[in-house]
């Protein structure tokens, strides 16, 4: 009598036993539709790329609005608005940081949100990324805050004379350094004037020279000072340079310093007062052709210079290459040394090598229109 027993077990495979004592196990793979369904479930369980990185998205939008509405930041508390505008280009550094975070989180929303700050920053400063300078110019002008603590005034003067500028403006001249500058520059510049702490050296004749009141000392104490004391503290002048194309009014100015004071914020009162007085002097200038040279202790993005920039153009912005930062000399982070023009055209604008000062000199080629 022959007996055959067959057991079939099904889970993920099949066991088949025959009476002959031989066992066979067969594994069968899951159907393709089941694998596809499992993958789809896993994909759906992951966060949507448009929902990832909500904090990064919010920060990108806030940065864009911050740059777009920087002029609306109030100055009522600690002059925060002016402080922000002084270093406004540097806020663009947050863009690559946020971009790296968006890529790491694979956040489509954050990447799209970054388009706002990028667009605004490029609209504000994109024009400074290229080089707009042209060779030549009827006149080369140089301005330099030589620094009251400059250890080598004579060496600084020789470096500036090597620039071959036609007109050279110096700010922060001390009584001790004045004869050193005059001696070192006498050969290259036969004409010069010094009014208080600012001076102008020229290869061309000067006339109608006078100090300009930037209201550095105000109130009864300022009014009560003797003339010689007032003159010693003068920080701005106006003169006329006789060029082959006609008279050119040249202003040299060194506005009041600014400080970040704990508890008080960005202290700019003296600077702002001087900027207003200087703008009034420029508005009253009868010569349509004029150049303003000097350390204004502020960038042209600062709202304090709105009246001035409404009447004059920055040589760096119209004919320079890059931001042209000038301070501090060892690691410049802001352009507070300016060359502004009216009635003439800046052909080129550049920064000269460091001297013994904590500022870098600035230069521009000027063309008559």
């Amino acid at each position: 009598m022959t007996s055959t027993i067959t057991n079939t077990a099904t889970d993920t495979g099949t066991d088949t036993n025959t009476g002959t004592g031989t066992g066979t196990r067969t594994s069968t793979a899951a159907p393709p539709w089941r694998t596809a369904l499992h993958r789809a479930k896993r994909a759906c369980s992951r966060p949507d790329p448009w929902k990832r990185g909500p904090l990064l998205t919010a920060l990108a939008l806030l940065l864009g609005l911050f740059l777009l509405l920087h002029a609306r930041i109030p100055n009522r508390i600690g002059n925060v608005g002016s402080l922000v505008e002084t270093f406004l280009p540097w806020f663009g550094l947050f863009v690559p940081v946020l971009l790296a975070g968006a890529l790491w989180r694979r956040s489509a929303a954050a990447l799209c949100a970054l388009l706002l700050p990028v667009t605004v920053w490029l609209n504000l400063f994109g024009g400074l990324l290229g080089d707009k300078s042209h060779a030549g110019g009827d006149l080369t002008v140089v301005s330099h805050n030589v620094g009251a603590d400059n250890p080598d005034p004579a060496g600084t003067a020789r470096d500036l004379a090597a620039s071959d500028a036609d007109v050279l403006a110096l700010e922060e001249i001390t009584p001790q350094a004045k004869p050193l500058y005059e001696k070192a520059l006498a050969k290259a510049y036969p004409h010069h004037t010094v009014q208080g702490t600012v001076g102008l050296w020229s290869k061309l004749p000067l006339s109608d020279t006078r100090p300009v009141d930037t209201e550095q000392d105000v109130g009864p104490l300022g009014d009560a000072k003797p003339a010689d004391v007032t003159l010693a503290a003068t920080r701005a002048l106006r003169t006329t340079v006789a060029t082959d194309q006609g008279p050119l009014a040249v202003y040299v100015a060194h506005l009041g310093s600014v400080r970040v004071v704990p508890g008080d914020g960005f202290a700019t009162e003296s600077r702002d007062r001087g900027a207003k007085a200087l703008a009034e002097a420029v508005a009253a200038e009868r010569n349509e052709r004029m150049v303003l040279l000097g350390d204004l202790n502020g960038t042209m993005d600062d709202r304090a210079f709105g009246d001035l920039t409404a009447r004059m153009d920055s040589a760096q912005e119209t004919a320079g290459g890059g931001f042209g930062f000038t301070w501090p000399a060892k690691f410049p982070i802001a352009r507070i040394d300016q060359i502004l023009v009216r009635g003439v055209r800046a052909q080129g604008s550049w920064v000269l090598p460091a001297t013994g000062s904590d500022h870098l000199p600035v230069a521009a080629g000027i063309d008559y229109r």
Side-chain angles (χ1 to χ4, degrees), residues 161-325:
S163 69
D164 199 31
D166 298 293
V167 174
L168 173 62
L170 304 186
E171 304 89 46
E172 209 165 291
I173 302 171
T174 64
Q176 297 77 17
K178 177 185 172 183
L180 299 176
Y181 289 117
E182 290 176 328
K183 181 179 179 181
L185 296 171
K187 184 177 180 180
Y189 299 95
H191 311 279
H192 89 282
T193 178
V194 175
Q195 303 284 322
T197 63
V198 296
L200 188 77
W201 278 257
S202 174
K203 294 180 179 180
L204 303 168
L206 304 177
S207 63
D208 194 18
T209 301
R210 61 180 183 270
V212 174
D213 183 12
T214 54
E215 300 185 9
Q216 188 70 20
D217 294 321
V218 296
L221 292 178
D223 295 339
K225 286 183 178 180
D228 57 337
V229 176
T230 303
L231 179 61
T234 296
R235 293 170 65 119
L237 67 82
R238 183 262 184 219
T239 190
T240 299
V241 178
T243 74
D244 293 338
Q245 290 79 17
L248 175 70
V250 177
Y251 284 70
V252 182
H254 181 198
L255 298 186
S257 298
V258 297
R259 297 285 188 273
V260 178
V261 181
D264 292 333
F266 196 40
T268 64
E269 181 183 357
S270 175
R271 192 277 312 270
D272 294 350
R273 190 169 61 245
K276 182 179 179 181
L278 194 57
E280 291 173 355
V282 168
E285 174 60 49
R286 295 183 178 182
N287 193 335
E288 282 302 313
R289 292 175 172 175
M290 65 174 300
V291 176
L292 169 59
L293 309 163
D295 173 10
L296 303 188
N297 269 310
T299 70
M300 293 299 95
D301 297 309
D302 193 324
R303 65 194 68 180
F305 298 99
D307 291 341
L308 199 57
T309 54
R311 296 180 173 91
M312 304 189 76
D313 298 321
S314 165
Q316 182 65 24
E317 291 182 5
T318 58
F323 291 93
F325 294 145

Side-chain angles (χ1 to χ4, degrees), residues 132-139 141 290-291 313-320 339-350 363-369:
K132 301 180 290 297
S133 62
H134 302 281
D138 297 318
L139 202 70
V141 297
M290 65 174 300
V291 176
D313 298 321
S314 165
Q316 182 65 24
E317 291 182 5
T318 58
I339 298 177
L340 305 179
V341 299
R342 186 186 78 182
V344 293
R345 180 176 57 246
Q347 285 288 92
S349 179
W350 60 96
I366 305 300
D367 220 6
Y368 283 82
R369 294 179 178 177

Side-chain angles (χ1 to χ4, degrees), residues 22-181:
T22 303
T24 303
R25 182 176 181 85
T26 304
S27 296
T28 304
W33 63 269
R34 183 176 294 175
T35 302
L37 180 62
H38 181 65
R39 290 176 178 172
K41 287 181 179 179
R42 283 195 304 174
C44 291
S45 66
R46 296 173 182 169
D48 190 307
W50 290 98
K51 296 180 180 180
R52 295 185 198 132
L55 179 59
L56 290 169
T57 303
L59 289 174
L61 292 174
L62 286 174
L63 177 60
L65 292 173
F66 179 85
L67 292 170
L68 182 65
L69 303 175
H70 68 86
R72 301 290 184 91
I73 300 174
N75 254 348
R76 291 189 298 272
I77 302 176
N79 286 324
V80 176
S82 286
L83 180 60
V84 165
E85 289 166 337
T86 298
F87 302 104
L88 194 61
W90 292 97
F91 285 93
L93 291 178
F94 287 108
V95 169
V97 175
L98 292 173
L99 176 61
L103 293 175
W104 179 66
R105 292 285 289 123
R106 298 181 182 179
S107 171
L111 288 173
C112 286
L114 276 171
L115 291 175
L116 177 61
V118 169
T119 301
V120 176
W121 192 93
L122 288 175
N123 182 63
L124 290 171
F125 305 111
L128 294 172
L129 298 179
D131 188 355
K132 301 180 290 297
S133 62
H134 302 281
D138 297 318
L139 202 70
T140 300
V141 297
V142 167
S143 177
H144 188 28
N145 179 327
V146 292
D149 298 324
N150 192 323
D152 185 17
T156 295
R158 288 191 296 270
D159 291 341
L160 294 173
S163 69
D164 199 31
D166 298 293
V167 174
L168 173 62
L170 304 186
E171 304 89 46
E172 209 165 291
I173 302 171
T174 64
Q176 297 77 17
K178 177 185 172 183
L180 299 176
Y181 289 117

